[in-house]
Amino acid sequence: MQDTLMVLEASYDWRLILLSIAIACTGAFVAFEINRRLTKLTEKKQIYKWIFIGSIVLASSIWSMHFIGMSAYQLHIPMDYDSRWTVVSFFAAFAASFTAFFVLHQKQSSISALLSAGLITGAGIAAMHYTGMQAVSFAGQVTYSAESVIGASAIAVVGSFAAFALFTYMKISRPLLQRVGASLFLGLAVSSMHYTGMEGTSFCIPETYSLFLTPDPVVNQTSLLTATITGTAVIFISVQWILFQEKRWFHETHYKDAITGLHNQRFWMKQVPSWNEEFKVIIYADIMRLRALNQSYGFTSGDAVLKQAAEMLQNRISPESFVFKSEGSKFLLCLKDADNFTADEQLSALQLPYEANVFQDSQRIHLSLCFGGTAVESSTPPERLAAQAEIALAHAKQQERTLFFYEEKNHQDLSDEWMEMSLRKALQNKEMAVYYQPQARAYSGEVNKVEALIRWQHPDYGMISPGVFIDAAERFGLIMPLTIQVVEKVCLQLKEWQKAAAPIQRVSINLSPLHFEFVDANRQITEVVHRHGIPPEMIEWELTETSMVENLQQMAGQLLELEREGFYIALDDFGAGVSSLTRLQDLPIHTLKLDKQFMNGFPGSDKKQQVIQLMITFAELSRMEIVCEGVETKEQLASLQKMNAGFIQGYIFQQPVPASELVFSFAPLTNSEGNAISDQEK
Ligand code: C2E
Ligand code: MG
Ligand code: MG
């Protein structure tokens, strides 16, 4: 006789329901965080590693939610799980999660791809649930109502679509509250799929077995523990892993140089207080003419040269010494005395010849490196050590020596007393020279305008650039005599050019922000120009944005005075400071000089280009001339030409040079379509 089946009564333990939902939501949160991180990765191997970890986290949380949910559903008869089906159910969850991450991080995920992925993922989650149910083994059988299967599967599919939409939305950084909200949503969606499925699930036993029913509900402790421990452990371990990776990333991006893989100078600055005493010498090494090399062979070769130089430098010093990457083509070396390889021996090794492969045509080239060093004293702050080595490097370059050491005798370089005394002497002995840099027309390459840039020809140290002494001249009240000397020299030079019928029509001269604080300053400079009989329209005064900050009213008055005299006025380093555009329109400014900072990473992104285009258009609309400073590459020049930039000042044409070396016309570097021409074409 066939035994009739009876449906068992079940009750829910609400604490376990909450635990299952909490695990699902926490897993979703971690998965969202992994998803956010994924968008920042570019390397394929890394992407797959993170997708794998993300899938494990999401799958484990769905899976353990299911089995904790099963423990929350309590019958009065023991229930067990078949281990093979349990494992299969995990793989179903993993496949669903992997599909989700994989589709989301395809470069071009079309709507139809997302929809089918939603369907596949939803089906995967439903499959996880029902294979998990298949694992259930007890003294009866499980039946499902068709409505609940359809309902639960529909929730799984719709939930997956919603999850995809949320994941895509969460790719960009969102505030924590939104991220938590999205995780709760996803966690609840997955849990409600489970509990809807359970609503239409009946556990039946033959009526004759009713004798085996226990008075109290039975919980399978092993299954509950396994599910809880697996879920929490996976989440905990992955959070630790994410934190560890974040820390590593921070280190890599902040303290490491991407090209050479060396620690950067910022790292040195951070570490140096604890290291100072250990090192004997600090040296800056600079690869000469790397810029030219980049231009002739391309940036990939330039990068390859930097990398090889880094390796060579490392090989020539003791293992206890260090090489750090400084900016541009520079490295910072900290040398330590070792018994078998002293700092002096390392210095000699560093000065041996260098050769590197340039990948194009696999050519081998000679590299010339310049070194500027300083002895380490533990009492000297790191910034000062770096400044001393920098000065030494500048001397080495000026004197065309491989190595220059910052020694006792020139220790005074940085001392105020020495600087003041030397500057006074320099003004007296007329040690100041004026160099000129062309401001060429962007399209034709013609030069009618130049900028006058001061240089100090020091009898002992060679040429010193204004960055080192202008600030000191301002502090010691020497800026006015210095400006006057520059104006005198420029006037004399203009007369020379007039005699030689050179095409120069205007020279721009830099004025210190302090200039506008002196009551008599304008009269003094105007007097010099008049005395030499130079027409004022041949001179343009450059003032910096910072001079505009204070006392705008007074400054506007002084500028008007200069304009009335017939001089031109330029705003230097525009965009580096704080000037507001409305302020500019109140001042008599004829030329805007776009700061060289704008050229960093230009042409690069569209955004960069749009900002520069905006400046150019602003200048045009305000009827001002525009000079783009710091233009170094052909790509920059070609982009600026397309944007209709007026004038170009930068190394691409010529560095500041003595008047005799000035070039008055450059071949425009574009073809008829306005594209930069290659070296071969040139
Ligand atoms: P500035 O007026 O903005 O001058 C432009 C600076 O950019 C010059 O540096 C020039 O050599 C440099 N430069 C030009 N093209 C490029 C390029 O393509 N790439 C890069 N990286 N740099 C480029 P310099 O001659 O060292 O002058 C520095 C600053 O010193 C000047 O900046 C100016 O503010 C000041 N200065 C120079 N001469 C005088 C002067 O006679 N009087 C006053 N008060 N200040 C001066
Ligand atoms: Mg200037
Ligand atoms: Mg400038």
Side-chain angles (χ1 to χ4, degrees), residues 451 510 542 572 593:
E451 177 173 4
N510 291 282
E542 285 194 12
D572 203 359
K593 296 194 70 184

Side-chain angles (χ1 to χ4, degrees), residues 280 316-318 321 335-348:
K280 200 173 173 213
R316 290 176 188 203
I317 57 177
S318 73
S321 301
L335 302 189
K336 199 170 180 179
D337 250 340
D339 287 343
N340 51 353
F341 199 15
T342 63
D344 286 340
E345 285 165 344
Q346 295 173 48
L347 271 174
S348 312

Side-chain angles (χ1 to χ4, degrees), residues 200-213:
T201 307
S202 311
F203 287 74
C204 313
I205 53 164
E207 262 176 3
T208 45
Y209 285 14
S210 57
L211 290 174
F212 300 114
L213 292 180

